């Protein structure tokens, strides 16, 4: 569980990691397994990256459960979501500065690590 005193950018990184894992668990063919190497670079936009996942939470959940794709893993990922949503709207802005980018990437790595620990059979 993230510390609620984390910056909005760090929480945004955690949110992105959680959504990447959600998409992967729902459909492993949707893209490569999320790794800590998938860090953001200059001019990267959290909002655009999240939108590019083309998430359909209802469809992803139903597909995962109906096709036997790790319903318990989906529940773990869904439980993580409320605690990683940044309270500041600006944390999901289009372009992050150097400090914000470092915070975002730190949050991404931390959340992905936590999810790998919780779901080693899928993400290990």
């Amino acid at each position: 569980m993230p510390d609620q005193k984390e910056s909005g950018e760090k929480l945004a990184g955690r949110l992105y990691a959680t959504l990447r894992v959600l998409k992967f668990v729902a459909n492993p063919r949707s893209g490569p397994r999320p790794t800590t190497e998938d860090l953001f670079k200059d001019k990267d936009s959290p909002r655009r990256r999240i939108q590019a996942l083309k998430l359909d939470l209802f469809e992803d959940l139903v597909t995962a459960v109906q096709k036997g794709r790790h319903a318990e893993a989906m529940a773990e990922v869904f439980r993580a979501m409320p605690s990683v949503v940044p309270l500041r709207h600006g944390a999901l802005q289009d372009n992050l500065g150097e400090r914000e980018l470092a915070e975002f990437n730190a949050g991404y790595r931390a959340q992905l690590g936590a999810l790998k620990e919780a779901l080693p059979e899928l993400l290990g």
Side-chain angles (χ1 to χ4, degrees), residues 61-111:
L61 177 61
V62 169
T63 298
V65 173
Q66 287 180 344
K67 295 192 177 181
R69 291 195 182 120
H70 314 289
E72 288 180 27
M74 288 294 280
E76 180 75 27
V77 174
F78 270 92
R79 270 192 300 278
M81 277 196 256
S83 66
V84 297
V85 174
L87 298 178
R88 270 190 327 104
H89 180 69
L92 295 169
Q93 63 192 358
D94 281 340
N95 292 311
L96 299 176
E98 191 174 317
R99 183 193 60 75
E100 292 88 357
L101 188 61
E103 285 284 310
F104 182 94
N105 284 330
Y108 175 81
R109 284 189 305 271
Q111 187 68 11

Side-chain angles (χ1 to χ4, degrees), residues 1 5 7 11 19-22 44-45 71 74 82 101 116:
M1 172 99 29
K5 292 182 172 119
S7 70
L11 287 172
L19 295 174
R20 283 280 316 274
V21 169
L22 173 81
D44 230 339
S45 162
M74 288 294 280
L101 188 61
K116 280 184 175 186

Side-chain angles (χ1 to χ4, degrees), residues 20 23-24 27-34:
R20 283 280 316 274
K23 189 69 174 181
F24 179 76
N27 182 2
R29 289 185 281 267
S30 66
R33 177 184 311 237

Side-chain angles (χ1 to χ4, degrees), residues 13-67:
R14 285 182 176 277
L15 176 63
Y16 178 66
T18 302
L19 295 174
R20 283 280 316 274
V21 169
L22 173 81
K23 189 69 174 181
F24 179 76
V25 171
N27 182 2
R29 289 185 281 267
S30 66
R33 177 184 311 237
T35 71
T36 55
E37 305 304 315
D38 302 331
L39 301 179
F40 275 40
K41 310 276 190 270
D42 288 345
K43 306 289 184 194
D44 230 339
S45 162
R47 181 176 301 282
R48 279 187 247 135
R49 279 256 191 126
I50 289 170
Q51 289 172 338
L53 291 173
K54 298 189 185 311
L55 291 169
D56 180 336
L57 296 180
F58 173 75
E59 187 65 33
D60 291 340
L61 177 61
V62 169
T63 298
V65 173
Q66 287 180 344
K67 295 192 177 181

